Amino acid sequence: MLRLAVVLALFVVLLSPRPGVALEVRVVPAVPRQGDAILLFVAGTRGAREVEGSLGGQHVAFFPYGAEYAALAGVDLEAKPGKIPWRIGFVDAGGTPRKAAGTLIVKAAGFPVQRLTLPKGMVNLDPEAERRADNEAARLRRLYDTVTPERLWRGPFTRPVAARKPGGGFGYRRIINGQPRMPHSGIDFSADRGTPVVASNRGRVALLGEFFFAGRLVVLDHGLGLYTLYFHLDGVAVVEGQMVERGQTVGTVGTTGRSTGPHLHFAAQLGRARVNASELFVLPVRD
Ligand SMILES: [Zn+2]
């Protein structure tokens, strides 16, 4: 969860031709943990152009937000705890280039360990299956590196399925048949097969596929580097390239791919960072 109560306000007075003009950078949550989505708000940018920045060396895309600029960035769930540098630069209304920089301290999330036993064939892959899974992972990485330069999402993100329980399991460090595996990067909603799965927000259908681990999947591009993922689907109700609105059905719950029963695996990706998708539901962004 985003810790809204803890808001760090950093006042950075810049060396500029107009001394005293302050740029305020606010980071929410102020002390992020591994796997957190982070909002950066920059005030004092009225009339600014070319607002851009980075977090931990990764590019961060800003969008106009009221009288300020804001950006959504992610801390990967396996990021090393400790300092992460951020940097913001822009051209002010008078045409002067300005910049600000600082560091965030990322805390360890303390993700639980989950031990699973699965059929050997789904864990110890034969070379062909391994090649296929590697190719599919590479295809997803290429997609996450593709940043649509406009924000397609608006307002709150909705839960993608009407489930009996809130989705959980993010960050679980998995030990499958006694061997450490990739951590669980989504949240799982258990629901009956055939239950409609809806778009969490407005976006473009960036990818449909039948993947070894993910099964039948839909990936939505929400712009500015944010993607949401819907895995193990039974059916798909959209086509690639199609724009979908928040709440629009994209498919139905299933158990395709590596799955032990009908459920929706819902995940969020910000660039290369795997972030906790349930944080999208409580983002403090109003429009
Ligand atoms: Zn899952």
Side-chain angles (χ1 to χ4, degrees):
M1 286 293 131
L2 289 168
R3 287 163 301 289
L4 301 177
V6 198
V7 174
L8 176 73
L10 299 163
F11 294 89
V12 186
V13 180
L14 297 165
L15 293 171
S16 84
R18 292 168 295 147
V21 176
L23 179 76
E24 182 197 335
V25 180
R26 207 154 43 87
V27 183
V28 182
V31 185
R33 292 171 308 176
Q34 294 166 305
D36 272 352
I38 295 174
L39 274 162
L40 298 165
F41 295 101
V42 195
T45 49
R46 192 174 288 277
R49 290 176 284 122
E50 298 167 43
V51 182
E52 53 87 39
S54 67
L55 177 71
Q58 291 267 309
H59 180 258
V60 169
F62 282 85
F63 55 90
Y65 183 64
E68 347 184 89
Y69 273 82
L72 188 56
V75 178
D76 184 68
L77 69 95
E78 290 189 289
K80 237 174 69 199
K83 287 182 181 170
I84 298 191
W86 58 263
R87 186 192 58 73
I88 294 167
F90 63 96
V91 177
D92 73 13
T96 307
R98 301 177 59 183
K99 52 191 180 205
T103 48
L104 283 181
I105 309 287
V106 172
K107 295 260 188 249
F111 295 122
V113 173
Q114 184 183 36
R115 286 169 206 282
L116 295 173
T117 305
L118 289 175
K120 276 204 180 106
M122 289 308 277
V123 182
N124 304 322
L125 306 188
D126 61 67
E128 196 187 326
E130 198 160 311
R131 213 167 18 238
R132 178 182 162 194
D134 285 350
N135 284 340
E136 290 167 351
R139 205 169 152 199
L140 287 173
R141 277 197 303 276
R142 279 198 300 278
L143 182 61
Y144 305 149
D145 286 343
T146 311
V147 178
T148 297
E150 61 199 300
R151 181 165 68 115
L152 302 175
W153 62 275
R154 280 292 180 277
F157 285 75
T158 189
R159 286 176 197 284
V161 72
R164 289 177 287 274
K165 286 195 284 180
F170 177 75
Y172 280 34
R173 289 159 52 215
R174 290 191 151 168
I175 300 185
I176 300 177
N177 299 352
Q179 294 169 32
R181 296 281 164 167
M182 293 271 279
H184 186 242
S185 56
I187 52 175
D188 290 329
F189 291 94
S190 80
D192 294 333
R193 184 169 164 237
T195 306
V197 171
V198 303
S200 186
N201 206 314
R202 185 165 179 271
R204 184 173 284 115
V205 179
L207 181 71
L208 300 180
E210 297 261 0
F211 281 16
F212 183 80
F213 287 113
R216 198 161 290 144
L217 80 163
V218 171
V219 180
L220 298 184
D221 175 6
H222 300 286
L224 304 184
L226 173 65
Y227 290 87
T228 56
L229 290 62
Y230 309 77
F231 287 0
H232 311 302
L233 300 176
D234 192 55
V236 164
V238 286
V239 295
E240 266 180 15
Q242 181 183 343
M243 281 298 302
V244 291
E245 298 299 327
R246 172 178 54 239
Q248 185 174 337
T249 300
V250 297
T252 52
V253 171
T255 185
T256 55
R258 193 170 79 178
S259 167
T260 51
H263 76 286
L264 174 71
H265 173 107
F266 175 62
Q269 194 80 30
L270 273 160
R272 288 270 177 115
R274 297 160 291 175
V275 299
N276 189 344
S278 63
E279 293 194 349
L280 295 179
F281 309 141
V282 293
L283 274 188
V285 173
R286 299 284 170 261
D287 73 326

